[in-house]
């Protein structure tokens, strides 16, 4: 069996962070019931890039974050639809939402309202800035959180302006925080017998990632500056361009310094007592970095990586996405998964990167069609008849 079998998550969220979290948990065995707006669904169903199928285009964005779920459509503005959600929450272990602060209370779907019918319920509310504080009612997106939490201030070349990472780091890391929150609350419930509400702020999640940058501030009162791929406190740790124009990241500690110098033909530096410790190399940063770059420029990427591997120096080629997805190690580890979709046929995605001994590994399932499981879920969870379901449809509730 998979680790989370028997857990039911009612997922009221949309877009990226929370759907990413619930997809991870779904592929670990949880039943995830995704609640979507009738007619339109999660807005990412219309996001680019689109995959053209037989007469219908499907969003690759939606596919990336909604595998292995069941989809039902419910109109949360409808009193009858709100009652459907309350009924489903009464049978769920977890409710997950990312609505703005106060929205679910207006619908009678906040934690206090849902807990009245299920005191074992875990409800995770993911908002931009949290349920309290002066920013609680502010709006935000991934890049706004990156900007305000200092991530962009740390990213970019020396002397250049701030740069966002190439992936939506705030959304993706928030998804991981949300998954941690759900798993932690489930363990806590098993110990205490009590449900709980989790107030998670995406802004808090990014501030929490400052870690080493914050440590420099706490220790030295230093505001870290943008340094490209260089590390503020370690040499060597940077990307270097090789003679063939390709790039390699080298990151080493004191024990790697001498073998690195020798494989680059820098014998004098290998014996220089002033460079054997990191502090000495930091004191001569400009000289050392320039010397390393000159030596590396005489080698191809393949040759440099080969020499580093032989010498035990940590290094890796900087690969583009196509190179990564075609990489032999990625293939051997089966990081790319494939499933069949009724509109576009075979499609691929990235697997949940966990492997278990004693439990079944994560299992990939296709993303649902909009409202595909509405009738089945209403029958299974709420014991509604076909007549009752048709009445809800006629009322615009589902």
């Amino acid at each position: 069996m998979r680790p989370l079998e028997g857990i039911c998550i009612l997922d009221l969220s949309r877009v990226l962070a929370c759907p990413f979290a619930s997809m991870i948990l779904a592929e670990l065995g949880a039943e995830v019931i995704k609640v979507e707006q009738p007619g339109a669904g999660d807005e990412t169903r219309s996001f680019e890039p689109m995959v053209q199928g037989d007469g219908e285009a499907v969003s690759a964005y939606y596919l990336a974050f909604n595998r292995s779920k069941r989809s039902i459509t419910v109109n949360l503005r409808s009193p009858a639809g709100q009652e459907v959600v309350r009924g489903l929450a009464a049978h769920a272990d977890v409710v997950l939402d990312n609505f703005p602060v106060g929205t679910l209370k207006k619908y009678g779907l906040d934690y206090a309202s849902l807990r009245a019918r299920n005191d074992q319920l875990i409800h995770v509310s993911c908002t931009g800035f949290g349920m309290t504080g002066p920013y609680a009612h502010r709006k935000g997106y991934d890049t706004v959180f990156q900007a305000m939490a200092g991530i962009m201030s740390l990213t970019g070349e020396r002397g250049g302006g701030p740069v966002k990472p190439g992936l939506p780091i705030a959304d993706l890391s928030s998804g991981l925080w949300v998954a941690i929150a759900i798993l932690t609350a489930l363990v806590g419930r098993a110990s205490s017998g009590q449900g709980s509400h989790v107030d998670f702020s995406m802004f808090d999640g990014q501030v929490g990632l400052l870690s080493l940058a914050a440590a420099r501030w706490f220790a030295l009162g230093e505001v870290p500056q943008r340094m490209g791929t260089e590390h503020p406190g370690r040499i060597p740790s940077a990307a270097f361009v090789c003679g063939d124009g390709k790039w390699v990241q080298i990151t080493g500690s004191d024990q790697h310094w001498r073998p690195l110098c020798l494989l680059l033909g820098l014998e004098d530096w290998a014996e220089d007592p002033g460079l054997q410790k990191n502090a000495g190399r930091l004191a001569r940063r400009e000289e050392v970095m320039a010397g390393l770059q000159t030596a590396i420029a005489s080698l191809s990427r393949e040759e440099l990586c080969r020499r580093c591997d032989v010498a035990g120096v940590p290094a890796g080629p900087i690969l583009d996405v196509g190179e990564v997805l075609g990489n032999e190690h990625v293939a051997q580890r089966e990081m790319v998964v494939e499933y069949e979709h009724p509109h576009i046929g075979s499609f691929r995605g990235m697997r949940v990167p966990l492997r278990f001994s004693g439990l079944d590994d994560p299992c990939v399932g296709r993303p649902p069609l909009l409202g595909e499981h509405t009738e089945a879920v209403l029958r299974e969870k709420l014991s509604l008849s076909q007549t009752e379901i048709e009445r809800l449809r006629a009322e615009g509730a589902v």
Side-chain angles (χ1 to χ4, degrees), residues 316-331:
I318 296 179
L319 305 177
D320 63 32
V321 173
E323 290 174 311
V324 173
L325 297 180
N327 180 271
E328 61 181 356
H329 192 76
V330 171

Side-chain angles (χ1 to χ4, degrees), residues 182-202:
I182 290 172
L183 296 174
T184 303
L186 287 168
V187 172
R189 186 182 70 175
S191 301
S192 69
Q194 298 295 315
S196 61
H197 180 257
V198 180
D199 168 11
F200 171 70
S201 151
M202 294 180 67

